[in-house]
Amino acid sequence: MKKIVNVATPAICVVALALSVAAFTKTNAATTSSAPIVASAPAGQPVDLTYAAEKALPSVVYIKSVQNSKLQTVEYSDPFEEFFSDPFGGFFGRGQGNNGKRQRQVQTPKRAAAGSGVIISADGYIVTNNHVVDEADELTVTLNENSKEYSARVIGADKTTDLALIKIDAKNLPAIVIANSDDVRVGEWVLAVGNPLGLNNTVTAGIVSAKARSMGSGVSSMIQTDAAINQGNSGGALVNTRGELIGINAMLASPTGSNIGYGFAIPTSIVSKAIDDFKKYGTYQRAMIGIHGGSLKDYVDAMKDQDKDVKDYGTMEGVRIDKVVEEGAAADAGLKSEDIITEVDGKKVATMGDLQGIIAQKRPGDKVTVKYLRDKKAKTVTLTLKNEQGNTKVVKNADLDVLGGSFKALTDGQKEQLNIGYGLEVIKISGGKLKDAGVPKGFIIQRVNDQTIKSIDDLQNAVKEASTSKEPVLYIQGIYPTGKKGYFAVPLENE
């Protein structure tokens, strides 16, 4: 069985079209008009890729990500606990009411990883993969040919699309020219540029072997290439023969973890919109059509493989709707199960990848015209795309300020007294969401939305993640100073 190995984000089977993103919008990067025209080689003649390499290499950087050593509390089981538990609540040193679970603190090792990035504006904006910068305490960017190092900060990042925008304080950088990936053709020669396997400033050549590949419910409508992509290429550039960016290298498909001819890049139609979102909102604006489904041909083939009867849909191309999400954009527009989407905004939809790629160029609130077949009859409807929370508002990351509280880590004395290993104490309530939900001063937060809370950073990350999720609510678990357990639901609606 073929194994998908990420150079970037994990590949997940697409089922729900909770689609996002990406109008091909203008950024501060150079446009295609600024590049000289390079004549294509006559049919059947070799292609000279030296110009593309010379243009692209200076714009691709080496990114080093460092996670510092941290002190963490871990739970472990004591196999003798249940046999020698102390009915006097720990007076004799065992049986502290933890169901055989004990805690200890461990020091995590310092971790370093490397990837690539692409300079998209002369003033220091660099696009890369989210997984290259995710959870990094330090980011260092080295320019081509090891000319200079810079510290970088994250402007915005999104796990679902596996894209991130970072910034270094520099000027007059060699920004790459961004091309429209919609114009890329299967069979076209391309270069993958990056820093694979520790080999900096590397280019590999191949062709575009497919487009609109659906590799997961997150990274969608990808460009497939046989240009060698390996670990370290993450976040690097896929460029055409003019040295223009057409995609950000993201993952490979391999049973070994090394390239065997199947690499995938996130197209610039998605990348450009993500860059614009990160700059304007600090977070990715994901548009959703509100259906579950898949390519019609895949569905029909699966039914035939199971010797099941299949109705005549009047076509073999399009996206078959299996289920319409309640109160979603498609439901509001009257779309139903068994409808076949064939076109959106005048663009043909033959597969799920096609639909994902089109919706990925939109934002919540955008209107799209959808053509579909119902019982082989052609129909047209206009619908308004929504965000993951079911409305058309801009979704922004919430900060700790929205909670209206102050927090501090527990002291060793508090941990010993309460027989716990971690938590954050609420030391002040000054209004905001915590007060509205009834969380009192002195309450100790231990878990939020099933995430362990050991530091203020943990709480901050939980708030940010929840604020942009489908259900913007914090489910808080913890204990009162008396030792009594407590539970609160804290809504984080957008204002």
Side-chain angles (χ1 to χ4, degrees):
M1 183 174 66
K2 183 173 73 173
K3 179 181 179 183
I4 300 295
V5 179
N6 287 340
V7 177
T9 192
I12 313 164
C13 246
V14 160
V15 181
L17 193 56
L19 293 168
S20 50
V21 326
F24 183 74
T25 51
K26 294 183 179 178
T27 70
N28 289 336
T31 62
T32 54
S33 61
S34 63
I37 296 175
V38 180
S40 299
Q45 296 300 311
V47 176
D48 185 355
L49 299 172
T50 57
Y51 177 83
E54 290 171 0
K55 291 292 291 183
L57 272 169
S59 301
V60 178
V61 302
Y62 173 85
I63 299 176
K64 182 179 179 181
S65 167
V66 174
Q67 294 182 32
N68 293 328
S69 175
K70 295 179 177 67
L71 191 65
Q72 292 187 349
T73 301
V74 297
E75 288 187 345
Y76 67 99
S77 297
D78 183 346
F80 301 104
E81 185 80 17
E82 59 181 293
F83 298 106
F84 299 101
S85 60
D86 177 8
F88 298 100
F91 186 78
F92 295 104
R94 283 190 180 273
Q96 299 180 15
N98 239 359
N99 295 322
K101 298 290 185 180
R102 304 177 74 83
Q103 297 174 337
R104 65 182 174 190
Q105 290 187 322
V106 296
Q107 192 79 29
T108 62
K110 186 175 183 178
R111 296 184 177 91
S116 306
V118 184
I119 301 170
I120 52 94
S121 67
D123 57 349
Y125 284 98
I126 296 168
V127 67
T128 184
N129 288 140
N130 172 77
H131 81 274
V132 172
V133 303
D134 191 30
E135 298 184 0
D137 297 309
E138 301 173 22
L139 285 175
T140 303
V141 170
T142 305
L143 300 186
N144 179 257
E145 299 297 343
N146 301 314
S147 59
K148 196 169 182 179
E149 287 188 355
Y150 296 87
S151 293
R153 66 184 186 276
V154 177
I155 302 300
D158 181 68
K159 289 184 178 181
T160 305
T161 57
D162 196 30
L163 288 171
L165 182 66
I166 65 176
K167 178 76 164 61
I168 61 175
D169 292 327
K171 296 180 179 179
N172 302 318
L173 297 179
I176 201 164
V177 174
I178 298 180
N180 188 344
S181 57
D182 290 345
D183 298 332
V184 173
R185 297 183 297 171
V186 173
E188 179 178 338
W189 279 95
V190 291
L191 286 180
V193 189
N195 304 285
L197 307 174
L199 302 172
N200 293 358
N201 313 316
T202 295
V203 299
T204 54
I207 62 167
V208 172
S209 48
K211 292 179 63 178
R213 287 294 195 206
S214 296
M215 299 303 296
S217 58
V219 184
S220 60
S221 196
M222 301 185 78
I223 299 171
Q224 180 180 316
T225 178
D226 63 355
I229 293 176
N230 287 290
Q231 294 185 8
N233 271 120
S234 297
L238 189 69
V239 303
N240 59 22
T241 55
R242 295 180 295 277
E244 301 164 344
L245 184 71
I246 60 171
I248 296 296
N249 300 324
M251 65 174 65
L252 58 91
S254 169
T256 64
S258 298
N259 179 269
I260 58 169
Y262 297 98
F264 301 91
I266 306 166
T268 53
S269 59
I270 295 177
V271 174
S272 295
K273 187 265 183 178
I275 291 169
D276 201 41
D277 280 353
F278 293 147
K279 287 184 177 181
K280 287 182 178 179
Y281 312 111
T283 188
Y284 190 72
Q285 302 302 304
R286 182 165 291 104
M288 304 179 70
I289 192 170
I291 67 169
H292 297 261
S295 300
L296 175 60
K297 185 178 185 303
D298 291 344
Y299 171 77
V300 171
D301 289 345
M303 292 298 100
K304 289 180 178 179
D305 288 343
Q306 298 174 39
D307 293 326
K308 294 182 178 180
D309 293 333
V310 184
K311 67 181 288 186
D312 180 7
Y313 290 98
T315 181
M316 282 295 286
E317 292 187 335
V319 169
R320 173 184 171 274
I321 299 177
D322 181 59
K323 179 182 178 182
V324 176
V325 176
E326 187 176 349
E327 297 184 358
D332 290 349
L335 290 174
K336 298 179 180 179
S337 174
E338 292 290 315
D339 287 345
I340 309 299
I341 298 175
T342 59
E343 189 176 297
V344 175
D345 281 351
K347 296 181 180 179
K348 181 181 178 181
V349 173
T351 66
M352 174 65 86
D354 291 333
L355 182 57
Q356 288 177 316
I358 296 169
I359 300 300
Q361 299 178 45
K362 308 295 181 180
R363 291 189 176 94
D366 287 350
K367 295 182 183 299
V368 295
T369 300
V370 177
K371 288 188 177 181
Y372 63 99
L373 296 177
R374 178 176 293 169
D375 297 327
K376 297 191 288 187
K377 295 180 180 179
K379 297 178 179 292
T380 302
V381 69
T382 298
L383 56 81
T384 302
L385 301 172
K386 296 185 177 183
N387 60 31
E388 287 183 291
Q389 298 170 5
N391 58 61
T392 58
K393 296 179 181 178
V394 169
V395 177
K396 294 184 178 181
N397 283 328
D399 199 83
L400 278 181
D401 291 345
V402 72
L403 298 182
S406 298
F407 315 90
K408 75 174 183 66
L410 297 183
T411 65
D412 290 339
Q414 287 175 305
K415 294 176 185 178
E416 183 176 354
Q417 179 183 358
L418 295 168
N419 190 30
I420 58 177
Y422 56 87
L424 281 185
E425 181 184 4
V426 180
I427 59 175
K428 183 180 180 181
I429 296 288
S430 55
K433 302 298 184 181
L434 291 184
K435 183 178 180 180
D436 294 344
V439 179
K441 176 183 176 182
F443 187 76
I444 296 168
I445 299 172
Q446 289 194 291
R447 296 184 69 81
V448 174
N449 295 352
D450 288 330
Q451 298 179 38
T452 300
I453 304 299
K454 301 175 182 177
S455 67
I456 292 178
D457 284 343
D458 289 340
L459 182 59
Q460 172 74 81
N461 292 335
V463 171
K464 284 185 176 181
E465 185 175 324
S467 66
T468 58
S469 69
K470 183 177 181 180
E471 186 178 16
V473 179
L474 298 181
Y475 293 103
I476 296 177
Q477 303 175 45
I479 62 174
Y480 293 91
T482 60
K484 178 184 175 182
K485 293 183 179 180
Y487 304 89
F488 296 92
V490 181
L492 298 175
E493 296 95 343
N494 288 311
E495 297 299 333

mmCIF file of all heavy atoms in Angstrom, residues 152-189:
data_model
loop_
_atom_site.group_PDB
_atom_site.id
_atom_site.type_symbol
_atom_site.label_atom_id
_atom_site.label_comp_id
_atom_site.label_asym_id
_atom_site.label_seq_id
_atom_site.Cartn_x
_atom_site.Cartn_y
_atom_site.Cartn_z
ATOM 1 N N ALA A 152 13.699 35.877 12.430
ATOM 2 C CA ALA A 152 12.401 36.057 11.775
ATOM 3 C C ALA A 152 11.267 35.957 12.781
ATOM 4 O O ALA A 152 11.396 35.303 13.813
ATOM 5 C CB ALA A 152 12.210 35.018 10.676
ATOM 6 N N ARG A 153 10.167 36.623 12.480
ATOM 7 C CA ARG A 153 8.958 36.524 13.293
ATOM 8 C C ARG A 153 7.806 36.060 12.398
ATOM 9 O O ARG A 153 7.795 36.308 11.185
ATOM 10 C CB ARG A 153 8.619 37.853 13.950
ATOM 11 C CG ARG A 153 8.231 38.966 12.999
ATOM 12 C CD ARG A 153 7.999 40.283 13.751
ATOM 13 N NE ARG A 153 7.486 41.339 12.897
ATOM 14 C CZ ARG A 153 8.236 42.123 12.136
ATOM 15 N NH1 ARG A 153 9.548 41.950 12.120
ATOM 16 N NH2 ARG A 153 7.700 43.069 11.393
ATOM 17 N N VAL A 154 6.852 35.378 13.002
ATOM 18 C CA VAL A 154 5.717 34.847 12.250
ATOM 19 C C VAL A 154 4.623 35.903 12.146
ATOM 20 O O VAL A 154 4.170 36.438 13.160
ATOM 21 C CB VAL A 154 5.157 33.576 12.923
ATOM 22 C CG1 VAL A 154 3.930 33.062 12.164
ATOM 23 C CG2 VAL A 154 6.225 32.484 12.992
ATOM 24 N N ILE A 155 4.195 36.214 10.944
ATOM 25 C CA ILE A 155 3.109 37.157 10.698
ATOM 26 C C ILE A 155 1.764 36.443 10.742
ATOM 27 O O ILE A 155 0.781 36.944 11.296
ATOM 28 C CB ILE A 155 3.280 37.846 9.332
ATOM 29 C CG1 ILE A 155 4.632 38.569 9.262
ATOM 30 C CG2 ILE A 155 2.135 38.824 9.067
ATOM 31 C CD1 ILE A 155 4.825 39.638 10.313
ATOM 32 N N GLY A 156 1.722 35.261 10.174
ATOM 33 C CA GLY A 156 0.497 34.464 10.180
ATOM 34 C C GLY A 156 0.806 33.052 9.732
ATOM 35 O O GLY A 156 1.762 32.824 8.983
ATOM 36 N N ALA A 157 0.021 32.099 10.204
ATOM 37 C CA ALA A 157 0.240 30.701 9.831
ATOM 38 C C ALA A 157 -1.084 29.953 9.880
ATOM 39 O O ALA A 157 -1.978 30.313 10.638
ATOM 40 C CB ALA A 157 1.260 30.047 10.766
ATOM 41 N N ASP A 158 -1.188 28.905 9.072
ATOM 42 C CA ASP A 158 -2.413 28.125 9.004
ATOM 43 C C ASP A 158 -2.066 26.652 8.819
ATOM 44 O O ASP A 158 -1.405 26.280 7.845
ATOM 45 C CB ASP A 158 -3.281 28.605 7.839
ATOM 46 C CG ASP A 158 -4.582 27.836 7.740
ATOM 47 O OD1 ASP A 158 -5.424 27.998 8.634
ATOM 48 O OD2 ASP A 158 -4.744 27.081 6.762
ATOM 49 N N LYS A 159 -2.504 25.816 9.759
ATOM 50 C CA LYS A 159 -2.185 24.392 9.705
ATOM 51 C C LYS A 159 -2.902 23.694 8.558
ATOM 52 O O LYS A 159 -2.365 22.771 7.938
ATOM 53 C CB LYS A 159 -2.546 23.725 11.032
ATOM 54 C CG LYS A 159 -1.630 24.093 12.185
ATOM 55 C CD LYS A 159 -1.982 23.317 13.442
ATOM 56 C CE LYS A 159 -1.031 23.669 14.580
ATOM 57 N NZ LYS A 159 -1.333 22.909 15.826
ATOM 58 N N THR A 160 -4.120 24.095 8.285
ATOM 59 C CA THR A 160 -4.913 23.385 7.287
ATOM 60 C C THR A 160 -4.313 23.506 5.899
ATOM 61 O O THR A 160 -4.192 22.519 5.173
ATOM 62 C CB THR A 160 -6.356 23.906 7.283
ATOM 63 O OG1 THR A 160 -6.891 23.800 8.600
ATOM 64 C CG2 THR A 160 -7.220 23.110 6.317
ATOM 65 N N THR A 161 -3.924 24.694 5.507
ATOM 66 C CA THR A 161 -3.302 24.885 4.200
ATOM 67 C C THR A 161 -1.806 24.622 4.240
ATOM 68 O O THR A 161 -1.158 24.528 3.199
ATOM 69 C CB THR A 161 -3.510 26.326 3.694
ATOM 70 O OG1 THR A 161 -2.989 27.237 4.652
ATOM 71 C CG2 THR A 161 -4.971 26.615 3.465
ATOM 72 N N ASP A 162 -1.236 24.512 5.445
ATOM 73 C CA ASP A 162 0.201 24.329 5.652
ATOM 74 C C ASP A 162 1.004 25.467 5.035
ATOM 75 O O ASP A 162 2.038 25.254 4.402
ATOM 76 C CB ASP A 162 0.684 22.986 5.112
ATOM 77 C CG ASP A 162 2.066 22.640 5.661
ATOM 78 O OD1 ASP A 162 2.381 23.062 6.783
ATOM 79 O OD2 ASP A 162 2.836 21.963 4.953
ATOM 80 N N LEU A 163 0.517 26.688 5.249
ATOM 81 C CA LEU A 163 1.227 27.874 4.778
ATOM 82 C C LEU A 163 1.500 28.808 5.940
ATOM 83 O O LEU A 163 0.744 28.863 6.911
ATOM 84 C CB LEU A 163 0.400 28.606 3.716
ATOM 85 C CG LEU A 163 0.302 27.926 2.356
ATOM 86 C CD1 LEU A 163 -0.720 28.640 1.480
ATOM 87 C CD2 LEU A 163 1.656 27.881 1.655
ATOM 88 N N ALA A 164 2.605 29.545 5.836
ATOM 89 C CA ALA A 164 2.960 30.536 6.849
ATOM 90 C C ALA A 164 3.665 31.701 6.176
ATOM 91 O O ALA A 164 4.322 31.539 5.141
ATOM 92 C CB ALA A 164 3.857 29.924 7.923
ATOM 93 N N LEU A 165 3.508 32.874 6.779
ATOM 94 C CA LEU A 165 4.197 34.074 6.312
ATOM 95 C C LEU A 165 5.067 34.581 7.451
ATOM 96 O O LEU A 165 4.578 34.789 8.560
ATOM 97 C CB LEU A 165 3.189 35.155 5.899
ATOM 98 C CG LEU A 165 3.773 36.449 5.340
ATOM 99 C CD1 LEU A 165 4.467 36.193 4.007
ATOM 100 C CD2 LEU A 165 2.698 37.519 5.181
ATOM 101 N N ILE A 166 6.360 34.738 7.189
ATOM 102 C CA ILE A 166 7.276 35.252 8.194
ATOM 103 C C ILE A 166 7.927 36.523 7.670
ATOM 104 O O ILE A 166 7.855 36.835 6.482
ATOM 105 C CB ILE A 166 8.340 34.209 8.595
ATOM 106 C CG1 ILE A 166 9.254 33.876 7.402
ATOM 107 C CG2 ILE A 166 7.671 32.945 9.121
ATOM 108 C CD1 ILE A 166 10.393 32.916 7.761
ATOM 109 N N LYS A 167 8.577 37.260 8.579
ATOM 110 C CA LYS A 167 9.144 38.567 8.206
ATOM 111 C C LYS A 167 10.519 38.715 8.835
ATOM 112 O O LYS A 167 10.726 38.371 10.002
ATOM 113 C CB LYS A 167 8.229 39.688 8.713
ATOM 114 C CG LYS A 167 8.715 41.114 8.435
ATOM 115 C CD LYS A 167 8.506 41.494 7.009
ATOM 116 C CE LYS A 167 8.615 42.999 6.783
ATOM 117 N NZ LYS A 167 9.935 43.567 7.141
ATOM 118 N N ILE A 168 11.469 39.206 8.047
ATOM 119 C CA ILE A 168 12.776 39.581 8.560
ATOM 120 C C ILE A 168 12.978 41.073 8.322
ATOM 121 O O ILE A 168 12.364 41.664 7.423
ATOM 122 C CB ILE A 168 13.922 38.783 7.894
ATOM 123 C CG1 ILE A 168 13.973 39.038 6.380
ATOM 124 C CG2 ILE A 168 13.770 37.296 8.194
ATOM 125 C CD1 ILE A 168 15.151 38.368 5.683
ATOM 126 N N ASP A 169 13.788 41.707 9.151
ATOM 127 C CA ASP A 169 14.056 43.139 9.000
ATOM 128 C C ASP A 169 15.196 43.333 8.014
ATOM 129 O O ASP A 169 16.377 43.299 8.367
ATOM 130 C CB ASP A 169 14.399 43.754 10.358
ATOM 131 C CG ASP A 169 13.209 43.761 11.302
ATOM 132 O OD1 ASP A 169 12.073 43.898 10.809
ATOM 133 O OD2 ASP A 169 13.408 43.608 12.520
ATOM 134 N N ALA A 170 14.817 43.494 6.760
ATOM 135 C CA ALA A 170 15.804 43.659 5.697
ATOM 136 C C ALA A 170 15.173 44.430 4.551
ATOM 137 O O ALA A 170 13.943 44.541 4.456
ATOM 138 C CB ALA A 170 16.297 42.299 5.218
ATOM 139 N N LYS A 171 16.014 44.978 3.703
ATOM 140 C CA LYS A 171 15.540 45.741 2.554
ATOM 141 C C LYS A 171 16.268 45.277 1.291
ATOM 142 O O LYS A 171 17.318 44.643 1.354
ATOM 143 C CB LYS A 171 15.776 47.238 2.763
ATOM 144 C CG LYS A 171 14.995 47.835 3.923
ATOM 145 C CD LYS A 171 15.291 49.330 4.063
ATOM 146 C CE LYS A 171 14.498 49.937 5.214
ATOM 147 N NZ LYS A 171 14.795 51.388 5.378
ATOM 148 N N ASN A 172 15.657 45.629 0.169
ATOM 149 C CA ASN A 172 16.258 45.363 -1.145
ATOM 150 C C ASN A 172 16.582 43.881 -1.350
ATOM 151 O O ASN A 172 17.618 43.527 -1.918
ATOM 152 C CB ASN A 172 17.525 46.209 -1.333
ATOM 153 C CG ASN A 172 17.252 47.692 -1.217
ATOM 154 O OD1 ASN A 172 16.252 48.195 -1.737
ATOM 155 N ND2 ASN A 172 18.126 48.398 -0.520
ATOM 156 N N LEU A 173 15.687 43.023 -0.888
ATOM 157 C CA LEU A 173 15.878 41.593 -1.070
ATOM 158 C C LEU A 173 15.405 41.167 -2.463
ATOM 159 O O LEU A 173 14.541 41.815 -3.071
ATOM 160 C CB LEU A 173 15.100 40.820 -0.003
ATOM 161 C CG LEU A 173 15.535 41.049 1.440
ATOM 162 C CD1 LEU A 173 14.651 40.246 2.389
ATOM 163 C CD2 LEU A 173 16.989 40.656 1.638
ATOM 164 N N PRO A 174 15.941 40.077 -2.991
ATOM 165 C CA PRO A 174 15.562 39.612 -4.340
ATOM 166 C C PRO A 174 14.233 38.862 -4.329
ATOM 167 O O PRO A 174 14.196 37.632 -4.213
ATOM 168 C CB PRO A 174 16.729 38.690 -4.723
ATOM 169 C CG PRO A 174 17.224 38.160 -3.412
ATOM 170 C CD PRO A 174 17.036 39.269 -2.415
ATOM 171 N N ALA A 175 13.147 39.588 -4.436
ATOM 172 C CA ALA A 175 11.814 38.966 -4.408
ATOM 173 C C ALA A 175 11.562 38.184 -5.689
ATOM 174 O O ALA A 175 11.923 38.616 -6.789
ATOM 175 C CB ALA A 175 10.748 40.034 -4.230
ATOM 176 N N ILE A 176 10.937 37.029 -5.527
ATOM 177 C CA ILE A 176 10.625 36.203 -6.688
ATOM 178 C C ILE A 176 9.414 36.777 -7.425
ATOM 179 O O ILE A 176 8.579 37.481 -6.839
ATOM 180 C CB ILE A 176 10.344 34.749 -6.247
ATOM 181 C CG1 ILE A 176 10.533 33.789 -7.423
ATOM 182 C CG2 ILE A 176 8.929 34.617 -5.651
ATOM 183 C CD1 ILE A 176 10.655 32.337 -6.996
ATOM 184 N N VAL A 177 9.324 36.507 -8.688
ATOM 185 C CA VAL A 177 8.148 36.876 -9.478
ATOM 186 C C VAL A 177 7.084 35.784 -9.285
ATOM 187 O O VAL A 177 7.386 34.596 -9.372
ATOM 188 C CB VAL A 177 8.504 37.002 -10.966
ATOM 189 C CG1 VAL A 177 7.244 37.235 -11.803
ATOM 190 C CG2 VAL A 177 9.496 38.138 -11.181
ATOM 191 N N ILE A 178 5.859 36.198 -8.980
ATOM 192 C CA ILE A 178 4.782 35.236 -8.745
ATOM 193 C C ILE A 178 3.909 35.119 -9.991
ATOM 194 O O ILE A 178 3.349 36.105 -10.460
ATOM 195 C CB ILE A 178 3.919 35.650 -7.537
ATOM 196 C CG1 ILE A 178 4.773 35.669 -6.260
ATOM 197 C CG2 ILE A 178 2.743 34.686 -7.370
ATOM 198 C CD1 ILE A 178 4.008 36.064 -5.018
ATOM 199 N N ALA A 179 3.813 33.909 -10.506
ATOM 200 C CA ALA A 179 2.972 33.636 -11.669
ATOM 201 C C ALA A 179 1.622 33.093 -11.218
ATOM 202 O O ALA A 179 1.458 32.686 -10.066
ATOM 203 C CB ALA A 179 3.660 32.637 -12.597
ATOM 204 N N ASN A 180 0.660 33.063 -12.122
ATOM 205 C CA ASN A 180 -0.662 32.516 -11.837
ATOM 206 C C ASN A 180 -0.633 31.016 -12.103
ATOM 207 O O ASN A 180 -0.489 30.574 -13.239
ATOM 208 C CB ASN A 180 -1.711 33.192 -12.714
ATOM 209 C CG ASN A 180 -3.127 32.792 -12.330
ATOM 210 O OD1 ASN A 180 -3.341 31.809 -11.632
ATOM 211 N ND2 ASN A 180 -4.095 33.568 -12.786
ATOM 212 N N SER A 181 -0.780 30.226 -11.046
ATOM 213 C CA SER A 181 -0.714 28.771 -11.199
ATOM 214 C C SER A 181 -1.849 28.211 -12.047
ATOM 215 O O SER A 181 -1.759 27.084 -12.535
ATOM 216 C CB SER A 181 -0.711 28.100 -9.824
ATOM 217 O OG SER A 181 -1.857 28.478 -9.075
ATOM 218 N N ASP A 182 -2.930 28.976 -12.223
ATOM 219 C CA ASP A 182 -4.019 28.514 -13.082
ATOM 220 C C ASP A 182 -3.563 28.342 -14.524
ATOM 221 O O ASP A 182 -4.175 27.597 -15.302
ATOM 222 C CB ASP A 182 -5.194 29.492 -13.042
ATOM 223 C CG ASP A 182 -5.921 29.485 -11.709
ATOM 224 O OD1 ASP A 182 -5.709 28.533 -10.925
ATOM 225 O OD2 ASP A 182 -6.685 30.430 -11.437
ATOM 226 N N ASP A 183 -2.473 29.047 -14.902
ATOM 227 C CA ASP A 183 -1.965 28.979 -16.274
ATOM 228 C C ASP A 183 -0.997 27.822 -16.495
ATOM 229 O O ASP A 183 -0.555 27.586 -17.625
ATOM 230 C CB ASP A 183 -1.265 30.294 -16.642
ATOM 231 C CG ASP A 183 -2.205 31.485 -16.610
ATOM 232 O OD1 ASP A 183 -3.413 31.282 -16.835
ATOM 233 O OD2 ASP A 183 -1.738 32.610 -16.338
ATOM 234 N N VAL A 184 -0.626 27.124 -15.427
ATOM 235 C CA VAL A 184 0.315 26.014 -15.546
ATOM 236 C C VAL A 184 -0.336 24.854 -16.299
ATOM 237 O O VAL A 184 -1.511 24.544 -16.104
ATOM 238 C CB VAL A 184 0.766 25.545 -14.139
ATOM 239 C CG1 VAL A 184 1.613 24.282 -14.231
ATOM 240 C CG2 VAL A 184 1.545 26.648 -13.447
ATOM 241 N N ARG A 185 0.452 24.199 -17.168
ATOM 242 C CA ARG A 185 -0.063 23.089 -17.964
ATOM 243 C C ARG A 185 0.646 21.790 -17.615
ATOM 244 O O ARG A 185 1.847 21.777 -17.315
ATOM 245 C CB ARG A 185 0.095 23.378 -19.454
ATOM 246 C CG ARG A 185 -0.714 24.585 -19.938
ATOM 247 C CD ARG A 185 -0.568 24.770 -21.427
ATOM 248 N NE ARG A 185 0.821 25.063 -21.794
ATOM 249 C CZ ARG A 185 1.258 25.092 -23.059
ATOM 250 N NH1 ARG A 185 0.424 24.837 -24.055
ATOM 251 N NH2 ARG A 185 2.519 25.372 -23.311
ATOM 252 N N VAL A 186 -0.091 20.697 -17.666
ATOM 253 C CA VAL A 186 0.500 19.383 -17.458
ATOM 254 C C VAL A 186 1.531 19.126 -18.552
ATOM 255 O O VAL A 186 1.263 19.367 -19.733
ATOM 256 C CB VAL A 186 -0.587 18.288 -17.458
ATOM 257 C CG1 VAL A 186 0.049 16.900 -17.403
ATOM 258 C CG2 VAL A 186 -1.535 18.485 -16.287
ATOM 259 N N GLY A 187 2.707 18.651 -18.174
ATOM 260 C CA GLY A 187 3.794 18.420 -19.123
ATOM 261 C C GLY A 187 4.792 19.551 -19.170
ATOM 262 O O GLY A 187 5.868 19.408 -19.770
ATOM 263 N N GLU A 188 4.470 20.662 -18.530
ATOM 264 C CA GLU A 188 5.360 21.823 -18.511
ATOM 265 C C GLU A 188 6.579 21.547 -17.627
ATOM 266 O O GLU A 188 6.479 20.938 -16.568
ATOM 267 C CB GLU A 188 4.576 23.027 -17.967
ATOM 268 C CG GLU A 188 5.348 24.315 -17.863
ATOM 269 C CD GLU A 188 4.471 25.460 -17.366
ATOM 270 O OE1 GLU A 188 3.234 25.352 -17.505
ATOM 271 O OE2 GLU A 188 5.017 26.436 -16.843
ATOM 272 N N TRP A 189 7.756 22.006 -18.083
ATOM 273 C CA TRP A 189 8.983 21.834 -17.305
ATOM 274 C C TRP A 189 8.982 22.771 -16.103
ATOM 275 O O TRP A 189 8.578 23.928 -16.189
ATOM 276 C CB TRP A 189 10.215 22.118 -18.160
ATOM 277 C CG TRP A 189 10.614 20.954 -19.018
ATOM 278 C CD1 TRP A 189 10.262 20.733 -20.315
ATOM 279 C CD2 TRP A 189 11.420 19.848 -18.625
ATOM 280 N NE1 TRP A 189 10.792 19.556 -20.760
ATOM 281 C CE2 TRP A 189 11.526 18.989 -19.739
ATOM 282 C CE3 TRP A 189 12.068 19.492 -17.437
ATOM 283 C CZ2 TRP A 189 12.250 17.798 -19.705
ATOM 284 C CZ3 TRP A 189 12.799 18.307 -17.406
ATOM 285 C CH2 TRP A 189 12.878 17.472 -18.531
#
